[in-house]
Amino acid sequence: MGAEALVRGASQVWGIEQSAIACQVIKYNWQKVSSPTQKWQVFKGDVVKILPKLAGQVFQLVYFDPPYHSDLYEPVLQMLPPLVDENSLIAVEHLSDRPLPNPVGQFSRYDQRKYGQTMLSFYHLAPQPLADYIQQTSAPPDQCCDD
């Protein structure tokens, strides 16, 4: 997906891959399709250990495609809120017979697409629950409403 993003003009693409061989292939491919003005980087390692090191970055598009039978889905989605904003799109690839929950942490799913045995679930940051909003912004009861 990173190569596709570069071909389509993304200014910056970052990837995380655990396999050293796959990292080399990704780097080779991204170098072939990127222009000199595009920035890209591939991090080799465990996504759970690398994500906290990206603190301070905000990503507009996150494509998450872990090994289908891994237990990474919910832990990684729980780690993403500091790295995205209200305009960010999170696309998660998984098996269609292994649905992901909705919501997941601070994310709510707004779309799903099935392609054979593969499912893409699309998430964004959920709006703050109404109850929390009311509690944070409400005036004392005696100043709120006329009876």
Side-chain angles (χ1 to χ4, degrees):
M1 282 300 172
E4 182 71 19
L6 290 166
V7 168
R8 293 180 180 262
S11 61
Q12 183 171 300
V13 176
W14 291 8
I16 301 172
E17 173 58 53
Q18 190 152 1
S19 164
I21 293 171
C23 275
Q24 292 304 316
V25 171
I26 292 167
K27 288 178 182 180
Y28 176 82
N29 289 335
W30 290 9
Q31 185 176 14
K32 291 290 185 188
V33 300
S34 65
S35 73
T37 60
Q38 292 174 304
K39 297 178 183 177
W40 57 267
Q41 186 168 359
V42 180
F43 298 91
K44 186 212 166 292
D46 181 347
V47 65
V48 173
K49 293 179 181 174
I50 292 175
L51 283 178
K53 296 176 183 178
L54 301 179
Q57 302 296 320
V58 176
F59 298 95
Q60 294 305 307
L61 174 61
V62 175
Y63 190 88
F64 182 48
D65 179 18
Y68 284 163
H69 295 287
S70 74
D71 292 324
L72 289 171
Y73 289 97
E74 290 185 54
V76 168
L77 286 168
Q78 297 278 1
M79 297 175 77
L80 287 177
L83 302 173
V84 298
D85 64 22
E86 64 277 355
N87 297 313
S88 299
L89 164 70
I90 294 83
V92 184
E93 186 174 324
H94 58 97
L95 289 172
S96 59
D97 64 356
R98 189 176 177 189
L100 298 179
N102 186 35
V104 178
Q106 296 181 41
F107 294 106
S108 63
R109 185 176 57 229
Y110 67 91
D111 196 7
Q112 281 188 312
R113 304 290 170 103
K114 184 176 178 182
Y115 303 97
Q117 294 180 341
T118 299
M119 178 84 70
L120 284 175
S121 293
F122 298 91
Y123 291 88
H124 59 90
L125 283 173
Q128 186 175 11
L130 182 58
D132 290 349
Y133 176 78
I134 291 170
Q135 184 177 13
Q136 289 180 359
T137 61
S138 65
D142 60 340
Q143 296 177 6
C144 177
C145 307
D146 294 328
D147 290 327

